[in-house]
Amino acid sequence: MKISVLGCGRWGSFIAWYLTQRGNEVTSWGPEGDPSYEVLKQTGRNEYVQLDERIRLTCDLERAVSDAQIIVISISSQGLRGFMRRIMRCDVSDKIFVLCMKGIENGTGKRLSEILVESGVSSDRIAVWVGPGHIQSFVQGVPNCMVIDSENESLKRELVDRFKSDLIRFYYGNDLLGTEIGAAAKNVMGIAAGILDVLCVPLKGPLMSRGAREVARLIKAMGGNELSAYGLAHLGDYETTLFSPYSHNRMYGEMLAKGQRFEKLAEGVATSGAMKLLGEKYGVDLPITKAVYAVCYGSGDDAARCKEEIGKLFRRSTKAEMYE
């Protein structure tokens, strides 16, 4: 199978490596001049993986798209809409798109698969690949479980059966909306976890419980299955996000609480704004999300703002644990 992986950052470079090991003919694309692409071009490796010599590395987007049967996209979620405008200049009528990214569009609240549909891709040719796991662990041979979801049942099963291995056990997702919202939302909870780590507040257990619960409420209000919040895409990914030293979002929260700046991509920052928007649109109470949004976008002393928002959460009116 010919597969092009668009985006050669940490996750994209791993996916290209992994899919090559599964016997696929893989092209890895990155924009010319981009640091992630240039380091692979010049050294054949990055800080995560050694580029398999069978992988074709290119900065020619048209060629990467045209040559592939399956197009895997792994870029910053907030750049997806503009990126799709470039891709749609090519004939993609027979292409399968797999989104290996976690986010919700800020300003619109659109899920990533919705952005593809609005760009002109048929919904039955779109799948998402999400769930727990860090590249640093995978390349050491540490296995994990992930999920592939799609509105197209046969496509979902075809991809799972093609991509599964002893390193990644895949499950068939059965709620695309819930899978996408849950996957994106766990990054918001990761920022909260990093803040708690710095403030030495033993609240990660409650964060896992209450965080999953508010995401479940949102998924249900949007028309999805609230149980999706307790699956691999959200709760199942908490260990890798709330506790791992490799998590960008947890590290962002940690450095924010210390009054320092985190220079790498933390998708949970923009996602907190998108989720806040969705909460307002669907009338869903999202207290943890709103607290994360406040610390990410507020002004003044970061550490003081983090403490203030935790205090606000504890001063909220008493509610039933499983309130709607």
Side-chain angles (χ1 to χ4, degrees), residues 193-228:
I195 292 170
L196 295 178
D197 283 340
V198 172
L199 299 182
C200 298
V201 181
L203 289 174
K204 277 191 176 178
L207 173 63
M208 294 171 71
S209 175
R210 302 311 305 159
R213 184 61 199 143
E214 73 174 61
V215 172
R217 289 198 301 271
L218 178 60
I219 290 172
K220 181 179 180 180
M222 294 178 67
N225 184 346
E226 65 181 310
L227 293 179
S228 295

mmCIF file of all heavy atoms in Angstrom, residues 193-228:
data_model
loop_
_atom_site.group_PDB
_atom_site.id
_atom_site.type_symbol
_atom_site.label_atom_id
_atom_site.label_comp_id
_atom_site.label_asym_id
_atom_site.label_seq_id
_atom_site.Cartn_x
_atom_site.Cartn_y
_atom_site.Cartn_z
ATOM 1 N N ALA A 193 -2.995 19.065 34.700
ATOM 2 C CA ALA A 193 -2.138 18.155 35.464
ATOM 3 C C ALA A 193 -0.759 18.749 35.717
ATOM 4 O O ALA A 193 -0.199 18.625 36.812
ATOM 5 C CB ALA A 193 -2.003 16.825 34.717
ATOM 6 N N GLY A 194 -0.203 19.413 34.715
ATOM 7 C CA GLY A 194 1.104 20.042 34.890
ATOM 8 C C GLY A 194 1.073 21.131 35.945
ATOM 9 O O GLY A 194 2.023 21.294 36.721
ATOM 10 N N ILE A 195 -0.011 21.881 35.990
ATOM 11 C CA ILE A 195 -0.160 22.926 37.010
ATOM 12 C C ILE A 195 -0.206 22.302 38.400
ATOM 13 O O ILE A 195 0.457 22.771 39.332
ATOM 14 C CB ILE A 195 -1.436 23.747 36.727
ATOM 15 C CG1 ILE A 195 -1.262 24.561 35.442
ATOM 16 C CG2 ILE A 195 -1.759 24.664 37.903
ATOM 17 C CD1 ILE A 195 -2.539 25.212 34.952
ATOM 18 N N LEU A 196 -0.969 21.217 38.537
ATOM 19 C CA LEU A 196 -1.075 20.542 39.837
ATOM 20 C C LEU A 196 0.271 19.987 40.285
ATOM 21 O O LEU A 196 0.594 19.999 41.478
ATOM 22 C CB LEU A 196 -2.107 19.418 39.755
ATOM 23 C CG LEU A 196 -3.560 19.837 39.507
ATOM 24 C CD1 LEU A 196 -4.448 18.602 39.402
ATOM 25 C CD2 LEU A 196 -4.060 20.763 40.604
ATOM 26 N N ASP A 197 1.081 19.499 39.346
ATOM 27 C CA ASP A 197 2.401 18.967 39.688
ATOM 28 C C ASP A 197 3.280 20.030 40.352
ATOM 29 O O ASP A 197 4.025 19.748 41.291
ATOM 30 C CB ASP A 197 3.104 18.433 38.433
ATOM 31 C CG ASP A 197 2.570 17.083 37.997
ATOM 32 O OD1 ASP A 197 1.946 16.393 38.821
ATOM 33 O OD2 ASP A 197 2.775 16.725 36.824
ATOM 34 N N VAL A 198 3.196 21.256 39.859
ATOM 35 C CA VAL A 198 4.025 22.336 40.396
ATOM 36 C C VAL A 198 3.494 22.829 41.739
ATOM 37 O O VAL A 198 4.256 23.091 42.673
ATOM 38 C CB VAL A 198 4.096 23.511 39.399
ATOM 39 C CG1 VAL A 198 4.783 24.722 40.027
ATOM 40 C CG2 VAL A 198 4.848 23.078 38.151
ATOM 41 N N LEU A 199 2.185 22.921 41.840
ATOM 42 C CA LEU A 199 1.590 23.438 43.072
ATOM 43 C C LEU A 199 1.527 22.390 44.174
ATOM 44 O O LEU A 199 1.088 22.683 45.290
ATOM 45 C CB LEU A 199 0.182 23.970 42.785
ATOM 46 C CG LEU A 199 0.095 25.121 41.778
ATOM 47 C CD1 LEU A 199 -1.345 25.581 41.611
ATOM 48 C CD2 LEU A 199 0.977 26.294 42.211
ATOM 49 N N CYS A 200 1.978 21.169 43.835
ATOM 50 C CA CYS A 200 2.023 20.063 44.807
ATOM 51 C C CYS A 200 0.649 19.803 45.410
ATOM 52 O O CYS A 200 0.525 19.499 46.608
ATOM 53 C CB CYS A 200 3.040 20.362 45.911
ATOM 54 S SG CYS A 200 4.730 20.546 45.308
ATOM 55 N N VAL A 201 -0.363 19.923 44.586
ATOM 56 C CA VAL A 201 -1.722 19.650 45.040
ATOM 57 C C VAL A 201 -2.095 18.230 44.611
ATOM 58 O O VAL A 201 -2.077 17.920 43.425
ATOM 59 C CB VAL A 201 -2.711 20.660 44.426
ATOM 60 C CG1 VAL A 201 -4.128 20.384 44.931
ATOM 61 C CG2 VAL A 201 -2.300 22.088 44.757
ATOM 62 N N PRO A 202 -2.427 17.332 45.562
ATOM 63 C CA PRO A 202 -2.706 15.927 45.219
ATOM 64 C C PRO A 202 -4.108 15.748 44.647
ATOM 65 O O PRO A 202 -4.986 15.134 45.258
ATOM 66 C CB PRO A 202 -2.556 15.220 46.565
ATOM 67 C CG PRO A 202 -2.971 16.246 47.564
ATOM 68 C CD PRO A 202 -2.498 17.566 47.020
ATOM 69 N N LEU A 203 -4.323 16.288 43.449
ATOM 70 C CA LEU A 203 -5.665 16.281 42.872
ATOM 71 C C LEU A 203 -5.740 15.584 41.511
ATOM 72 O O LEU A 203 -6.725 15.751 40.786
ATOM 73 C CB LEU A 203 -6.174 17.719 42.726
ATOM 74 C CG LEU A 203 -6.527 18.467 44.009
ATOM 75 C CD1 LEU A 203 -6.863 19.916 43.706
ATOM 76 C CD2 LEU A 203 -7.711 17.794 44.692
ATOM 77 N N LYS A 204 -4.724 14.822 41.148
ATOM 78 C CA LYS A 204 -4.780 14.194 39.831
ATOM 79 C C LYS A 204 -5.881 13.136 39.747
ATOM 80 O O LYS A 204 -6.486 12.945 38.692
ATOM 81 C CB LYS A 204 -3.424 13.600 39.466
ATOM 82 C CG LYS A 204 -2.465 14.623 38.880
ATOM 83 C CD LYS A 204 -1.257 13.939 38.290
ATOM 84 C CE LYS A 204 -0.353 14.947 37.617
ATOM 85 N NZ LYS A 204 0.864 14.305 37.073
ATOM 86 N N GLY A 205 -6.148 12.448 40.854
ATOM 87 C CA GLY A 205 -7.255 11.488 40.867
ATOM 88 C C GLY A 205 -8.578 12.186 40.596
ATOM 89 O O GLY A 205 -9.320 11.802 39.680
ATOM 90 N N PRO A 206 -8.918 13.220 41.377
ATOM 91 C CA PRO A 206 -10.132 13.981 41.081
ATOM 92 C C PRO A 206 -10.130 14.596 39.684
ATOM 93 O O PRO A 206 -11.178 14.662 39.033
ATOM 94 C CB PRO A 206 -10.135 15.064 42.162
ATOM 95 C CG PRO A 206 -9.417 14.437 43.310
ATOM 96 C CD PRO A 206 -8.340 13.607 42.668
ATOM 97 N N LEU A 207 -8.971 15.023 39.202
ATOM 98 C CA LEU A 207 -8.892 15.594 37.854
ATOM 99 C C LEU A 207 -9.299 14.557 36.817
ATOM 100 O O LEU A 207 -10.053 14.864 35.877
ATOM 101 C CB LEU A 207 -7.478 16.097 37.568
ATOM 102 C CG LEU A 207 -7.206 16.565 36.122
ATOM 103 C CD1 LEU A 207 -8.084 17.764 35.766
ATOM 104 C CD2 LEU A 207 -5.725 16.915 35.945
ATOM 105 N N MET A 208 -8.814 13.335 36.975
ATOM 106 C CA MET A 208 -9.164 12.278 36.030
ATOM 107 C C MET A 208 -10.661 12.007 36.049
ATOM 108 O O MET A 208 -11.299 11.864 35.002
ATOM 109 C CB MET A 208 -8.382 11.010 36.357
ATOM 110 C CG MET A 208 -6.880 11.138 36.145
ATOM 111 S SD MET A 208 -5.964 9.718 36.790
ATOM 112 C CE MET A 208 -6.432 8.460 35.618
ATOM 113 N N SER A 209 -11.237 11.952 37.246
ATOM 114 C CA SER A 209 -12.659 11.652 37.374
ATOM 115 C C SER A 209 -13.531 12.797 36.876
ATOM 116 O O SER A 209 -14.409 12.616 36.024
ATOM 117 C CB SER A 209 -12.990 11.348 38.841
ATOM 118 O OG SER A 209 -14.372 11.161 39.023
ATOM 119 N N ARG A 210 -13.277 13.995 37.399
ATOM 120 C CA ARG A 210 -14.114 15.133 37.043
ATOM 121 C C ARG A 210 -13.854 15.598 35.611
ATOM 122 O O ARG A 210 -14.762 16.062 34.919
ATOM 123 C CB ARG A 210 -13.899 16.300 38.010
ATOM 124 C CG ARG A 210 -14.167 15.983 39.479
ATOM 125 C CD ARG A 210 -15.489 15.294 39.688
ATOM 126 N NE ARG A 210 -16.619 16.054 39.132
ATOM 127 C CZ ARG A 210 -17.789 15.509 38.828
ATOM 128 N NH1 ARG A 210 -17.978 14.214 38.973
ATOM 129 N NH2 ARG A 210 -18.764 16.266 38.345
ATOM 130 N N GLY A 211 -12.616 15.479 35.156
ATOM 131 C CA GLY A 211 -12.305 15.856 33.787
ATOM 132 C C GLY A 211 -13.037 14.986 32.788
ATOM 133 O O GLY A 211 -13.646 15.477 31.835
ATOM 134 N N ALA A 212 -12.980 13.668 32.991
ATOM 135 C CA ALA A 212 -13.676 12.753 32.088
ATOM 136 C C ALA A 212 -15.179 12.998 32.128
ATOM 137 O O ALA A 212 -15.875 12.902 31.103
ATOM 138 C CB ALA A 212 -13.360 11.305 32.446
ATOM 139 N N ARG A 213 -15.687 13.336 33.322
ATOM 140 C CA ARG A 213 -17.126 13.550 33.456
ATOM 141 C C ARG A 213 -17.587 14.779 32.665
ATOM 142 O O ARG A 213 -18.613 14.742 31.993
ATOM 143 C CB ARG A 213 -17.497 13.705 34.932
ATOM 144 C CG ARG A 213 -18.990 13.838 35.180
ATOM 145 C CD ARG A 213 -19.759 12.621 34.715
ATOM 146 N NE ARG A 213 -21.182 12.933 34.537
ATOM 147 C CZ ARG A 213 -21.942 12.439 33.580
ATOM 148 N NH1 ARG A 213 -21.422 11.604 32.698
ATOM 149 N NH2 ARG A 213 -23.213 12.763 33.506
ATOM 150 N N GLU A 214 -16.815 15.875 32.716
ATOM 151 C CA GLU A 214 -17.265 17.050 31.981
ATOM 152 C C GLU A 214 -17.137 16.858 30.467
ATOM 153 O O GLU A 214 -17.954 17.357 29.699
ATOM 154 C CB GLU A 214 -16.557 18.327 32.446
ATOM 155 C CG GLU A 214 -15.123 18.534 32.069
ATOM 156 C CD GLU A 214 -14.643 19.937 32.516
ATOM 157 O OE1 GLU A 214 -14.659 20.235 33.721
ATOM 158 O OE2 GLU A 214 -14.247 20.708 31.637
ATOM 159 N N VAL A 215 -16.146 16.099 30.056
ATOM 160 C CA VAL A 215 -16.017 15.794 28.630
ATOM 161 C C VAL A 215 -17.174 14.895 28.179
ATOM 162 O O VAL A 215 -17.713 15.056 27.082
ATOM 163 C CB VAL A 215 -14.649 15.147 28.339
ATOM 164 C CG1 VAL A 215 -14.574 14.640 26.899
ATOM 165 C CG2 VAL A 215 -13.529 16.146 28.604
ATOM 166 N N ALA A 216 -17.577 13.960 29.039
ATOM 167 C CA ALA A 216 -18.718 13.096 28.721
ATOM 168 C C ALA A 216 -19.986 13.919 28.539
ATOM 169 O O ALA A 216 -20.783 13.663 27.628
ATOM 170 C CB ALA A 216 -18.914 12.057 29.830
ATOM 171 N N ARG A 217 -20.176 14.926 29.389
ATOM 172 C CA ARG A 217 -21.351 15.782 29.264
ATOM 173 C C ARG A 217 -21.360 16.522 27.929
ATOM 174 O O ARG A 217 -22.389 16.666 27.276
ATOM 175 C CB ARG A 217 -21.403 16.797 30.416
ATOM 176 C CG ARG A 217 -21.726 16.209 31.771
ATOM 177 C CD ARG A 217 -22.179 17.294 32.746
ATOM 178 N NE ARG A 217 -21.177 18.338 32.946
ATOM 179 C CZ ARG A 217 -20.230 18.303 33.865
ATOM 180 N NH1 ARG A 217 -20.126 17.252 34.669
ATOM 181 N NH2 ARG A 217 -19.367 19.296 33.996
ATOM 182 N N LEU A 218 -20.188 17.006 27.530
ATOM 183 C CA LEU A 218 -20.097 17.731 26.270
ATOM 184 C C LEU A 218 -20.380 16.806 25.089
ATOM 185 O O LEU A 218 -21.126 17.161 24.170
ATOM 186 C CB LEU A 218 -18.714 18.367 26.122
ATOM 187 C CG LEU A 218 -18.465 19.134 24.817
ATOM 188 C CD1 LEU A 218 -19.453 20.286 24.660
ATOM 189 C CD2 LEU A 218 -17.025 19.653 24.758
ATOM 190 N N ILE A 219 -19.779 15.628 25.090
ATOM 191 C CA ILE A 219 -19.989 14.674 23.996
ATOM 192 C C ILE A 219 -21.474 14.338 23.860
ATOM 193 O O ILE A 219 -22.031 14.316 22.758
ATOM 194 C CB ILE A 219 -19.158 13.392 24.222
ATOM 195 C CG1 ILE A 219 -17.663 13.694 24.046
ATOM 196 C CG2 ILE A 219 -19.585 12.278 23.278
ATOM 197 C CD1 ILE A 219 -16.750 12.549 24.440
ATOM 198 N N LYS A 220 -22.123 14.099 24.978
ATOM 199 C CA LYS A 220 -23.551 13.758 24.956
ATOM 200 C C LYS A 220 -24.376 14.912 24.389
ATOM 201 O O LYS A 220 -25.269 14.702 23.562
ATOM 202 C CB LYS A 220 -24.020 13.411 26.367
ATOM 203 C CG LYS A 220 -25.489 13.022 26.444
ATOM 204 C CD LYS A 220 -25.890 12.669 27.863
ATOM 205 C CE LYS A 220 -27.365 12.278 27.947
ATOM 206 N NZ LYS A 220 -27.768 11.937 29.344
ATOM 207 N N ALA A 221 -24.079 16.126 24.836
ATOM 208 C CA ALA A 221 -24.837 17.295 24.367
ATOM 209 C C ALA A 221 -24.653 17.513 22.871
ATOM 210 O O ALA A 221 -25.558 18.016 22.192
ATOM 211 C CB ALA A 221 -24.398 18.540 25.135
ATOM 212 N N MET A 222 -23.511 17.131 22.342
ATOM 213 C CA MET A 222 -23.237 17.311 20.921
ATOM 214 C C MET A 222 -23.831 16.201 20.056
ATOM 215 O O MET A 222 -23.767 16.266 18.828
ATOM 216 C CB MET A 222 -21.729 17.402 20.690
ATOM 217 C CG MET A 222 -21.080 18.643 21.290
ATOM 218 S SD MET A 222 -19.277 18.686 21.048
ATOM 219 C CE MET A 222 -19.182 18.892 19.259
ATOM 220 N N GLY A 223 -24.387 15.176 20.713
ATOM 221 C CA GLY A 223 -25.011 14.095 19.969
ATOM 222 C C GLY A 223 -24.209 12.817 19.905
ATOM 223 O O GLY A 223 -24.590 11.864 19.211
ATOM 224 N N GLY A 224 -23.089 12.760 20.630
ATOM 225 C CA GLY A 224 -22.268 11.556 20.661
ATOM 226 C C GLY A 224 -22.613 10.673 21.841
ATOM 227 O O GLY A 224 -23.526 10.953 22.623
ATOM 228 N N ASN A 225 -21.861 9.603 21.998
ATOM 229 C CA ASN A 225 -22.040 8.657 23.095
ATOM 230 C C ASN A 225 -21.159 9.083 24.263
ATOM 231 O O ASN A 225 -19.936 9.084 24.150
ATOM 232 C CB ASN A 225 -21.669 7.246 22.632
ATOM 233 C CG ASN A 225 -21.927 6.180 23.684
ATOM 234 O OD1 ASN A 225 -22.135 6.484 24.859
ATOM 235 N ND2 ASN A 225 -21.903 4.937 23.268
ATOM 236 N N GLU A 226 -21.762 9.449 25.392
ATOM 237 C CA GLU A 226 -20.974 9.939 26.517
ATOM 238 C C GLU A 226 -19.962 8.920 27.030
ATOM 239 O O GLU A 226 -18.935 9.282 27.607
ATOM 240 C CB GLU A 226 -21.880 10.388 27.664
ATOM 241 C CG GLU A 226 -22.702 9.299 28.312
ATOM 242 C CD GLU A 226 -23.582 9.856 29.429
ATOM 243 O OE1 GLU A 226 -23.066 10.579 30.290
ATOM 244 O OE2 GLU A 226 -24.793 9.555 29.425
ATOM 245 N N LEU A 227 -20.207 7.634 26.782
ATOM 246 C CA LEU A 227 -19.264 6.604 27.217
ATOM 247 C C LEU A 227 -17.925 6.713 26.485
ATOM 248 O O LEU A 227 -16.918 6.168 26.944
ATOM 249 C CB LEU A 227 -19.866 5.214 27.009
ATOM 250 C CG LEU A 227 -21.070 4.855 27.891
ATOM 251 C CD1 LEU A 227 -21.576 3.464 27.553
ATOM 252 C CD2 LEU A 227 -20.708 4.940 29.369
ATOM 253 N N SER A 228 -17.903 7.407 25.358
ATOM 254 C CA SER A 228 -16.658 7.593 24.610
ATOM 255 C C SER A 228 -15.605 8.318 25.440
ATOM 256 O O SER A 228 -14.403 8.140 25.229
ATOM 257 C CB SER A 228 -16.914 8.363 23.317
ATOM 258 O OG SER A 228 -17.736 7.627 22.441
#
